[in-house]
Amino acid sequence: MWRPSWLCGFHSALLLSRTKPRPPPTASFGRNIRVSHASSGRPKPLWKKVMSATVVGVPLLLGVRYLMAEAREKRRMRLMVEGVGRFSRSLSIGLQISVDYWWCTNVLLRGVDENSPRYVEVMSACHQRAADALVAGAISNGGLYIKLGQGLCSFNHLLPPEYIRTLHVLEDKALTRSFREVDELFLEDFHAPAHEIFQEFDYQPIAAASLAQVHRAKLHDGTDVAVKVQYIDLRDRFDGDIYTLELLLRLVELMHPSFGFSWVLQDLKGTLAQELDFENEGHNAERCARDLGHCHYVVVPRVHWDKTSKRVLTADFCEGFKVNDVEAIKAQGLALQDIAQKLIQAFAEQIFYTGFIHSDPHPGNVLVRKGPDGKAELVLLDHGLYQFLDEKDRSALCQLWRAIILRDDASMKLHAAALGVQDYFLFCEVLMQRPVRLGQLWRSHLLSREEAAYMQDMAREHFEDIMSVLKALPRPMLLVLRNINTVRAINASLGAPVDRYFLMAKSAVKGWSRLGGGTYQGIYRFSLLRQIKVVWELLKFEVALRLEIVLMRVTALVVRTLVHLGLVTEPEGLYEYLET
């Protein structure tokens, strides 16, 4: 029989004070499940669902699409991703350079005299960092970025020397591509790898430039050839690179409104796209060879059409060294003066007469070799970028150049207006790339230190006016100016051994005479009479220029004589004026 047990007060209080035992794990798990079910009953916001689906679904779909795509489609998809990287890299370099210059000029050099050694040292280091960053970015991005860097090399009279020394590596240096990529392109264009197309093919490129790399090879008949192989992804990324550069230039315009170059790229992108067609380049090379056939010192490598496609160009291999390699030129026993004169005359013939103008004649595209007569021959390469200047504009340019040399103010104004420019004086200085003073001839064909400083100040202080002049010009003139400035830079690197201005003026007068003679319907239709007219115009130009020089010198002599005899007082600054 059960009996209730009695506890003392102490034990009863002890039992009541004990904590309740923990529930078993299963009970806790069950409670959590009930709570979870209760909370899941509340629906998620729509934006969370969309975000979750996007984060998971888009990469998954892109991955599946990439795995199922063909090789070319995979390449395009990779380029889209790499395009974002190129844009980010370019933007980062631009900001880095801008901040570096701001920090140096506004913090490190605040209150420091511009002529002090400290100022020169800090700015030189800043220039070098900026140039190194530009070269690294251009090489990493490749393509059009390298081409823009090559264009900057021709401004050696405006840019700091640190830029010029560093940017020169872009003339024939770029990141090379693997032999697998070369064979992949040959398989797409010729349905066979390169080593089967040629008897010998060296997969190690001898040069790598902005659009392609060059390999040495041998045809089955034993002919040595140079094979220019376009980078396989270049066509696919061209439009994207153009868009990226336009966007970057617009961003620069927002920060620096006067620095507006996006219109230049907009106008020239069609011309730049022609460089991607190597068959077009081959036709340009053949036309150049015909146009300059009478210049026996000009060599244009022969194109082998059976080994050429839109992305592969095969031409004769020509030995030579870069036209600005002074040491190699002297080692071969060739004369710098002869090379400079031939270079200027060849391109002046294109500008002032034929109108079919090589627009990228940087030193990597002009080689020098010793000809059979022991004198220099010029080998012209890379005929992808050409510009045609119509006869009306050529005639105006010929007469303008002649007028500048003779300091004919009225003619300068007239012929600049024929090219669409009203500020004729500024345009003449941009065209000649040296100061133009009315009534004064140049003392020397070399640009003095004072003249170089003047041009740098002019470019900085009248930048917006220069942009207005360039916009007013016919669009083909932009690449003509590039040609003129590049040849000027090469002549300067050779030590300016010839008077470029006078040589081009003679070509201008000769070209204008031939152009005018070709349009006459009278007696000048006959070639002999046209030739007589050319000689007559050249003679008139030479006589006019020489008379101007003699007149200035005689006037200076007379004034000195009068001063020496005490008949007149010495005019301050007159001697320098007359001698220039």
Side-chain angles (χ1 to χ4, degrees), residues 230-241:
Q230 189 175 115
Y231 300 133
I232 196 168
D233 58 354
L234 198 61
R235 285 171 171 263
D236 296 328
R237 60 178 279 191
F238 180 81
D239 290 335
D241 281 352

Side-chain angles (χ1 to χ4, degrees), residues 398-399 401-407 501-510 512-513 534-548:
C398 288
Q399 296 176 81
W401 200 285
R402 175 182 181 275
I404 295 172
I405 297 298
L406 295 177
R407 299 300 191 274
Y501 308 99
F502 182 67
L503 283 176
M504 291 193 69
K506 291 180 66 175
S507 295
V509 173
K510 185 178 179 181
W512 172 62
S513 302
V534 170
V535 174
W536 173 243
E537 291 294 339
L538 283 172
L539 181 61
K540 287 198 301 182
F541 169 72
E542 292 258 13
V543 170
L545 184 62
R546 301 304 176 190
L547 282 177
E548 188 77 17

Side-chain angles (χ1 to χ4, degrees), residues 115-249:
N115 297 319
S116 66
R118 166 69 176 165
Y119 188 95
V120 173
E121 179 185 357
V122 171
M123 288 308 299
S124 176
C126 185
H127 292 326
Q128 189 62 56
R129 289 193 298 271
D132 291 338
L134 286 175
V135 168
I139 292 177
S140 298
N141 288 344
L144 291 177
Y145 297 87
I146 291 181
K147 185 158 289 295
L148 290 177
Q150 291 172 348
L152 289 175
C153 292
S154 60
F155 292 95
N156 57 359
H157 59 307
L158 296 178
L159 292 176
E162 293 83 3
Y163 280 85
I164 303 305
R165 289 194 300 267
T166 308
L167 290 171
H168 270 311
V169 303
L170 297 177
E171 289 174 352
D172 54 4
K173 300 293 183 184
L175 293 178
T176 59
R177 306 297 181 91
S178 67
F179 72 92
R180 294 186 182 87
E181 182 176 306
V182 173
D183 274 345
E184 183 181 349
L185 187 143
F186 268 87
L187 286 169
E188 291 179 3
D189 284 16
F190 296 98
H191 309 291
H195 62 271
E196 293 181 9
I197 300 292
F198 300 93
Q199 179 180 326
E200 296 178 9
F201 186 88
D202 187 358
Y203 281 95
Q204 183 64 35
I206 58 176
S210 57
L211 307 181
Q213 58 191 33
V214 181
H215 299 260
R216 190 164 185 171
K218 183 174 290 188
L219 300 179
H220 290 287
D221 63 1
T223 304
D224 287 326
V225 292
V227 185
K228 185 177 179 180
V229 182
Q230 189 175 115
Y231 300 133
I232 196 168
D233 58 354
L234 198 61
R235 285 171 171 263
D236 296 328
R237 60 178 279 191
F238 180 81
D239 290 335
D241 281 352
I242 287 286
Y243 178 77
T244 298
L245 288 170
E246 286 179 341
L247 182 58
L248 288 172
L249 288 174

